[in-house]
Amino acid sequence: MTADSIRNAALFHFAKDGYEGASLRAIADEVGIKKPSIYAHFSGKEDLFMHTLVHAFHEVQRHTLEYFRDHAHLPLEERLQGLLAWFEQEYQDHASARLMLRNCYYPPPELYSQVMDLVYPFLDGMERALTRLLQRAIREGDVPPVPAEQVAIAFMTFLDGITVEIIYGSSRRYKRRMDAAWPVFWNGIHSLNEKAHPIVPEGD
């Protein structure tokens, strides 16, 4: 029995029951081994949880990159707006996304520092990737000249603000917030450009 099989079973249980609620015995039963056999691969529950969470972050990162690769033909507005709908579906379909997102908001208190050491680099990496995406879109004329890093941070803040509905609310509430807030966000990008390059009325 491999460590990967144990980790895959743990992914389901940690995503469903959280760190405190997940049982090593239940994980072992699902794999078809005795609980002590887990310790041949992991030093304990904390070790198994952190290995599983690292795997979850890598999975979400990989899926996100695949999303942008598969939708590279779309205008930037459609790609970014589509990412919001995709992310909600990713949460519903994949335990890795559920585990990652819930621990961004609710890390186990005793593992707070270790979890944040995963969360912050992930978020910073997303911001850098979005900044590069925006810079490319600006060069190609897909969006007007705007401060790309500022817009990337604003997008991540926007995503964070509606993502809470995935955990607390429902798909309907998430979509309602997304549909209401997106035009404000996207029009705000153009407003940034207008402030940097104000339109001077003719005759002035």
Side-chain angles (χ1 to χ4, degrees):
M1 188 56 59
T2 67
D4 285 350
S5 299
I6 298 170
R7 186 202 62 206
N8 291 339
L11 178 62
F12 171 79
H13 285 273
F14 284 132
K16 176 176 176 288
D17 301 320
Y19 174 74
E20 297 294 341
S23 161
L24 289 184
R25 184 175 301 279
I27 293 170
D29 287 346
E30 182 164 326
V31 178
I33 59 176
K34 300 294 185 181
K35 178 181 171 181
S37 298
I38 292 177
Y39 296 101
H41 301 279
F42 302 96
S43 62
K45 188 175 184 180
E46 289 186 5
D47 186 38
L48 175 57
F49 176 80
M50 290 306 303
H51 273 86
T52 305
L53 188 59
V54 168
H55 173 74
F57 270 89
H58 288 164
E59 282 289 287
V60 173
Q61 184 180 45
R62 180 173 65 82
H63 291 174
T64 304
L65 291 173
E66 289 173 353
Y67 167 85
F68 279 109
R69 182 198 65 198
D70 294 343
H71 296 81
H73 61 286
L74 295 177
L76 182 64
E77 179 181 6
E78 292 183 32
R79 271 181 283 169
L80 292 181
Q81 188 175 14
L83 178 68
L84 302 175
W86 171 86
F87 188 69
E88 194 269 341
Q89 192 61 50
E90 185 79 0
Y91 179 87
Q92 302 298 336
D93 292 345
H94 297 284
S96 55
R98 292 194 295 275
L99 181 63
M100 186 213 74
L101 185 57
R102 289 177 180 177
N103 280 278
C104 286
Y105 285 93
Y106 301 114
E110 60 269 47
L111 297 174
Y112 180 86
S113 295
Q114 296 97 308
V115 172
M116 289 300 106
D117 284 344
L118 298 175
V119 172
Y120 290 133
F122 177 84
L123 296 178
D124 291 344
M126 285 288 293
E127 287 179 5
R128 288 193 297 270
L130 285 168
T131 299
R132 292 193 297 269
L133 186 68
L134 284 156
Q135 290 169 338
R136 188 181 312 119
I138 291 167
R139 290 194 301 269
E140 295 172 353
D142 194 8
V143 294
V146 293
E149 183 178 6
Q150 181 183 359
V151 173
I153 293 172
F155 179 84
M156 293 297 294
T157 304
F158 172 39
L159 178 60
D160 182 60
I162 64 171
T163 293
V164 70
E165 288 292 357
I166 297 179
I167 299 175
Y168 287 116
S170 62
S171 294
R172 181 186 62 80
R173 288 180 60 87
Y174 178 83
K175 186 176 186 305
R176 180 172 176 267
R177 284 178 177 257
M178 179 181 70
D179 290 345
W182 178 257
V184 178
F185 171 80
W186 191 252
N187 289 333
I189 293 177
H190 293 270
S191 177
L192 282 173
N193 181 60
E194 290 166 4
K195 288 178 181 178
H197 303 89
I199 299 173
V200 179
E202 291 184 10
D204 286 7

